[in-house]
Amino acid sequence: MTIDKNNPLEQQNNPDRDGSSSSNVEASTHRRKKPRRDGKGSNTKANNPTTAKSKKGKALSGSKDAGKDSQALTTQAANPEIESGDAADDAAAIAEGGIKAVGNQRIIPFMKIEKPMALLSLLMVIGSIIAIAVNGLNLGLDFTGGVSADVRYEQPVEQVEVVQALADNGFDDAVVQYLGTREELLVRLPPQSDNVDGLNSSLTKALTLPNNNVEISNVNIIGSQVGNEIYLNSVMSLVLALVCMLGYVALRFQFKLALGAVLSLFHDAIVTIGVFALFGFPFDLTVLAAVLALVGYSINDTIVVYDRIRENFRRVRGITPRQTVDLSLTETLRRTIMTISTVLLVVLAMLFLGGDGLFWFSVALFIGLLAGTYSSTYIASSIPLRMGLSRDDFIVKVKPEFEEEIVTFNDPKMFEQDNA
């Protein structure tokens, strides 16, 4: 009987005719003689497809966690190496959104030049106080008293023409502002010796322009006593604003941060007022309004930095407090640049296009914005760091209100039975 070697069926039925087939049989027989490791055949963890799928799923989930680590955000479950003694710290980190991994993130060392900047700030504050004490403020009519009059022309006029006409008739140091349109103006003058009737006729004569009739609707004489009251109330309003900021930041964040914020606000206000005293710029209610607006702007910028500092103290591990402050300032730098640039665009527009009524208001804002941005970076962040700001200031550790006590009751009857 001949067997066709090319027929696979005959080779399968007659494995002895083919050496390769017999070797496969022997190999399979040899594999069967191996001891079973788990008593369930070859269905081990290595060959189990279900286990393989689970391992594949774990690998995929691990790659996703690695992607989250590259984004600098992980959770507590992905960090099992955290010690159990930091339970309160971990709870605070989870409340903030998970533990933040800094990794290779670039940190700008702002606090590296902390001492030179502190010296510069101290010199600026001392120089401003000396300028205010020696030169004094060039107080406007709102503080010193004077005369204010509402004027209406038939045709539009220029402010320079009105000021020149008043100066030609003996009314010096006049302040002229538009009231909505170029026909309506507010004229303010230093204190005059004439009464209301004589002053009204004198102003009508002085304000009359060629081919343009004028009408004075209202003349008010402000005494020096009223101006002093306005001055004192303005100073009290500034002090009250600083005290309220101190209480808010101390309640919302921490007292060390509150002290740094208030000192930075004082720095901004005193530097702005000092520049006005040094160069003799007029200081009136509009400039005071600009200073109060700067207090609100500067505290807003400072609160943004403080919120990031508190977050990083709770979430970041393994870095010093100085590095935490540098990290927070680095992360808020882009926001600070965008905010100050957009606000400066508006201030410059008011400075060059707003007219005389908004000129000194814009100058005060411009000076204060530069001082406020600088103080939020160095003064507001440097002072708390010098006071020992650390991670413990932001972690609330819960203490037990009472400890459990073991109470035993002595039964007299049981005591008598034991003695018997």
Side-chain angles (χ1 to χ4, degrees):
M1 179 179 178
T2 61
I3 299 173
D4 189 3
K5 295 182 179 181
N6 295 326
N7 191 347
L9 295 176
E10 293 182 359
Q11 290 182 3
Q12 183 178 1
N13 295 329
N14 297 276
D16 295 336
R17 300 288 183 177
D18 192 354
S20 61
S21 300
S22 62
S23 62
N24 292 335
V25 173
E26 292 176 359
S28 62
T29 305
H30 179 70
R31 284 196 299 268
R32 292 192 187 99
K33 292 181 180 180
K34 288 183 179 181
R36 295 177 179 176
R37 289 177 290 178
D38 55 356
K40 297 181 181 180
S42 61
N43 189 15
T44 59
K45 293 183 179 180
N47 297 325
N48 191 353
T50 305
T51 307
K53 289 182 181 180
S54 63
K55 288 184 177 181
K56 185 177 180 181
K58 291 181 180 179
L60 291 176
S61 62
S63 63
K64 292 181 180 178
D65 292 338
K68 291 182 180 179
D69 290 339
S70 64
Q71 298 175 359
L73 290 174
T74 57
T75 58
Q76 185 186 14
N79 293 273
E81 66 276 2
I82 300 176
E83 297 180 359
S84 59
D86 297 334
D89 300 349
D90 300 338
I94 294 174
E96 293 291 334
I99 300 173
K100 181 186 292 186
V102 179
N104 296 326
Q105 182 177 352
R106 181 185 177 186
I107 302 177
I108 302 176
F110 287 97
M111 295 295 106
K112 188 176 182 180
I113 56 174
E114 173 191 5
K115 293 182 179 179
M117 289 300 177
L119 181 61
L120 177 61
S121 301
L122 184 61
L123 293 177
M124 292 173 62
V125 171
I126 294 176
S128 299
I129 294 175
I130 293 175
I132 295 173
V134 175
N135 296 339
L137 292 174
N138 184 13
L139 298 176
L141 300 178
D142 298 321
F143 301 117
T144 60
V147 178
S148 65
D150 297 333
V151 180
R152 180 179 180 84
Y153 285 90
E154 291 182 354
Q155 299 177 5
V157 294
E158 297 293 335
Q159 293 175 327
V160 179
E161 297 178 4
V162 177
V163 173
Q164 186 62 40
L166 290 171
D168 294 340
N169 290 271
F171 295 100
D172 298 327
D173 299 330
V175 178
V176 179
Q177 296 177 349
Y178 287 121
L179 295 177
T181 62
R182 298 181 63 185
E183 292 86 3
E184 298 179 0
L185 297 94
L186 174 64
V187 177
R188 293 186 293 176
L189 301 171
Q192 304 294 322
S193 60
D194 297 337
N195 54 17
V196 177
D197 295 335
L199 187 60
N200 195 355
S201 60
S202 299
L203 284 176
T204 303
K205 181 181 178 180
L207 292 173
T208 301
L209 299 177
N211 301 324
N212 195 354
N213 295 326
V214 63
E215 178 184 357
I216 301 177
S217 59
N218 189 17
V219 177
N220 295 319
I221 298 178
I222 303 174
S224 58
Q225 183 177 0
V226 177
N228 291 331
E229 291 180 359
I230 296 175
Y231 180 76
L232 294 176
N233 291 335
S234 302
V235 174
M236 291 300 298
S237 64
L238 183 59
V239 174
L240 181 61
L242 294 179
V243 172
C244 291
M245 296 299 176
L246 176 65
Y248 167 75
V249 180
L251 181 64
R252 187 66 178 84
F253 291 91
Q254 214 271 342
F255 180 75
K256 298 175 184 178
L257 297 179
L259 187 59
V262 170
L263 291 179
S264 67
L265 294 179
F266 175 77
H267 168 272
D268 301 340
I270 202 68
V271 167
T272 303
I273 298 174
V275 171
F276 272 75
L278 180 63
F279 295 100
F281 296 155
F283 190 89
D284 53 10
L285 284 179
T286 58
V287 178
L288 178 63
V291 174
L292 293 176
L294 288 172
V295 171
Y297 173 83
S298 182
I299 194 63
N300 176 68
D301 196 17
T302 304
I303 288 299
V304 172
V305 176
Y306 281 177
D307 186 66
R308 187 57 60 90
I309 289 176
R310 179 178 61 180
E311 174 189 340
N312 288 334
F313 266 116
R314 290 178 175 177
R315 298 179 62 184
V316 180
R317 301 288 192 269
I319 60 177
T320 62
R322 181 180 295 271
Q323 292 174 336
T324 302
V325 173
D326 287 336
L327 174 63
S328 304
L329 293 173
T330 303
E331 292 177 344
T332 57
L333 179 62
R334 181 179 299 178
R335 181 260 178 199
T336 302
I337 294 175
M338 294 177 64
T339 303
I340 188 63
S341 59
T342 53
V343 176
L344 281 179
L345 288 176
V346 178
V347 171
L348 292 176
M350 291 191 300
L351 183 63
F352 294 105
L353 303 176
D356 295 338
L358 296 176
F359 181 78
W360 296 115
F361 177 82
S362 304
V363 171
L365 280 179
F366 182 80
I367 298 171
L369 285 174
L370 298 181
T373 304
Y374 158 79
S375 65
S376 297
T377 304
Y378 285 101
I379 299 178
S381 303
S382 175
I383 292 177
L385 196 61
R386 286 290 179 179
M387 294 178 63
L389 186 69
S390 63
R391 191 161 172 264
D392 295 335
D393 296 326
F394 301 97
I395 303 299
V396 179
K397 296 182 178 181
V398 180
K399 297 181 179 180
E401 297 180 356
F402 58 90
E403 295 181 357
E404 294 184 358
E405 298 180 355
I406 301 175
V407 181
T408 58
F409 297 93
N410 295 325
D411 191 352
K413 296 182 179 180
M414 295 294 297
F415 182 74
E416 294 176 356
Q417 293 179 1
D418 294 336
N419 291 334

